[in-house]
Amino acid sequence: MASLSLSRHNQLFSRPIFHRPKPNFFAPTKIRMSLTENAPSIAVVGVTGAVGQEFLSFLSDRDFPYRSIKMLASKRSAGRRITFEDKDYVVEELTPDSFAGVDIAFFSAGSSISKEFAPLAVDRGTVVVDNSSAFRMDEKVPLVIPEVNPEAMQHIKLGTGKGALIANPNCTTIICLMAVTPLHRRAKVLCMDVTTYQAASGAGAAAMEELELQTREVLEGKSPTCKIFKQQYAFNLFSHNVSILSNGYNEEEMKMVKEIMKIWNDKDVKVASTCIRVPIMRAHSMNVKLQFERPLDEDTARDILKNAPGVVVIDDREANHFPTPLEVSNKDYVAVGRIRRDLTQDGNHGLYIYVCGDQIRKGAALNAIQIAELLL
Ligand SMILES: NC(=O)c1ccc[n+]([C@@H]2O[C@H](COP(=O)([O-])OP(=O)(O)OC[C@H]3O[C@@H](n4cnc5c(N)ncnc54)[C@H](OP(=O)(O)O)[C@@H]3O)[C@@H](O)[C@H]2O)c1
């Protein structure tokens, strides 16, 4: 039986470049404090993936209480072993019967898997927190960032025997709105234009492996292996690798547009975005141009952001020190800098800000765990 500890992407995750020692799920590290009888039973769907691994990290780091935990993935991983907080688990193949007795299921196995299995879980009384795009725009499904719109899920309760679906927004949407919403609350955003610089990790564990492999191949003078991405990624950048839609925007860009309107419950806000893949291993960055209804000067904006939950301001003009993907990798906060007046707009009605966040953590797994914490 293969041990998951040997998998390539876990080696990638444990690199010192990420600044934070990753928890080792494969060796006992500490006594589990929150494994309690009255706590919910949990399932992690896609546990062997980039986001799935972070779910485990957060369940542990945040002492999330649970009675039992099911590790679910595809048939390929069935039988692999994971040691998580003193206990050995065997990864099980996801099937329609996986959710009997499960109170909360975290899904991160892709949209088609969510579409097929999340409704089955809900029918069995499970509250599903879904990381995929499958249900985000479904009117009946709340799309939640706990710091932004926790009220959207207040009707969903645990322990009633009634299942429900809650969607995690797209990672770029989460990182952007963590920084922009506190400013929106003060001055009301009328228009937002976002340009993103997105890391390999946003495309999953295999994409991170491909970037590393390509980097080595190019340095060795070989032609790069292109399996996940259709073109050379190392030492290059390109428009996000999802489909282009009839309006010329790609799927990632239109996700941001639609999700921001839904989360803010604002059909009038004008949003446009340009999403670019850059050869960064982990953490997304974005430049955001904002137009406000009410005036907002840069000092006030900086103060608002310094007091915003989950936001850290890194805006040292003297030292030319602003947020970088490397600094926010494996961090739970979103970093904001380059807070400056937009010279193309009159008075104090326009600002630029630059935002970086680890999209596997706050952009995916952490946000989902925070949603589950609201349920508790
Ligand atoms: N990466 C991010 O930053 C990010 C951010 C927000 C949302 N998301 C979303 O989260 C989901 C997963 O992303 P990821 O980056 O973690 O991808 P990933 O690293 O490629 O992992 C995919 C996971 O899904 C599992 N899986 C694949 N096919 C399956 C099947 N038929 N039945 C059960 N499990 C199956 C895989 O299991 P095996 O190991 O057995 O193949 C693996 O555990 C996607 O919907 C993605 O859009 C990702």
Side-chain angles (χ1 to χ4, degrees), residues 132-165:
S132 80
S133 58
F135 301 100
R136 286 180 191 149
M137 296 318 297
D138 184 327
E139 274 180 20
K140 296 184 290 303
V141 176
L143 183 64
V144 177
I145 305 171
E147 292 87 347
V148 175
N149 63 334
E151 69 286 349
M153 55 172 281
Q154 66 190 3
H155 58 288
I156 298 175
K157 307 270 181 248
L158 265 189
T160 60
K162 218 171 147 223
L165 254 167

Side-chain angles (χ1 to χ4, degrees), residues 116-357:
E116 185 180 348
F117 289 92
L120 299 175
V122 172
D123 284 347
R124 283 164 174 73
T126 304
V127 177
V128 171
V129 185
D130 182 30
N131 254 287
S132 80
S133 58
F135 301 100
R136 286 180 191 149
M137 296 318 297
D138 184 327
E139 274 180 20
K140 296 184 290 303
V141 176
L143 183 64
V144 177
I145 305 171
E147 292 87 347
V148 175
N149 63 334
E151 69 286 349
M153 55 172 281
Q154 66 190 3
H155 58 288
I156 298 175
K157 307 270 181 248
L158 265 189
T160 60
K162 218 171 147 223
L165 254 167
I166 303 168
N168 221 37
N170 189 36
C171 47
T172 45
T173 308
I174 295 176
I175 292 166
C176 179
L177 289 195
M178 283 293 289
V180 176
T181 304
L183 306 178
H184 176 59
R185 285 184 182 135
R186 173 68 69 95
K188 188 170 173 30
V189 171
L190 299 176
C191 293
M192 185 183 335
D193 185 0
V194 190
T195 302
T196 70
Y197 313 92
Q198 298 187 217
S201 53
M208 296 169 81
E209 288 176 31
E210 186 159 303
L211 175 58
E212 183 176 288
L213 175 66
Q214 282 196 6
T215 305
R216 210 175 301 114
E217 287 171 335
V218 173
L219 288 174
E220 288 168 2
K222 298 178 187 158
S223 56
T225 306
C226 298
K227 281 188 188 156
I228 306 288
F229 301 107
K230 290 194 186 116
Q231 52 194 315
Q232 180 177 328
Y233 186 25
F235 306 100
N236 195 12
L237 57 80
F238 42 77
S239 183
H240 196 288
N241 52 300
V242 286
S243 308
I244 300 282
L245 304 170
S246 58
N247 66 357
Y249 286 80
N250 65 42
E251 281 173 0
E252 183 83 351
E253 291 159 355
M254 289 313 293
K255 277 180 194 171
M256 278 194 95
V257 173
K258 290 178 186 164
E259 291 178 19
I260 288 171
M261 293 166 108
K262 176 169 175 176
I263 293 166
W264 278 359
N265 193 20
D266 182 348
K267 290 197 170 59
D268 297 325
V269 64
K270 292 190 169 42
V271 184
S273 110
T274 306
C275 293
I276 305 292
R277 250 324 152 207
V278 293
I280 297 290
M281 196 56 87
R282 183 167 174 147
H284 290 348
S285 307
M286 56 195 77
N287 190 45
V288 188
K289 175 186 164 94
L290 297 164
Q291 186 194 351
F292 300 105
E293 185 177 87
R294 299 182 284 278
L296 181 65
D297 63 73
E298 60 182 47
D299 289 336
T300 310
R302 202 172 286 107
D303 283 345
I304 291 169
L305 290 168
K306 276 181 185 161
N307 291 308
V311 175
V312 167
V313 173
I314 304 176
D315 202 29
D316 186 345
R317 292 177 179 180
E318 220 166 282
N320 200 358
H321 181 206
F322 303 107
T324 66
L326 216 49
E327 276 178 294
V328 300
S329 287
N330 283 301
K331 301 290 188 332
D332 295 345
Y333 55 78
V334 161
V336 189
R338 306 289 331 265
I339 302 163
R340 64 205 191 279
R341 198 166 78 79
D342 175 2
L343 300 179
T344 69
Q345 297 187 56
D346 293 333
N348 282 321
H349 285 267
L351 284 177
Y352 277 107
I353 60 172
Y354 183 74
V355 190
C356 286

Side-chain angles (χ1 to χ4, degrees), residues 46 48-51 73-74 76-77 94 108-110 113 131-132 201-202 204-205 359 363-364:
T48 51
V51 177
S74 77
R76 293 179 291 276
S77 304
L94 174 67
S108 66
I113 302 298
N131 254 287
S132 80
S201 53
Q359 91 299 331

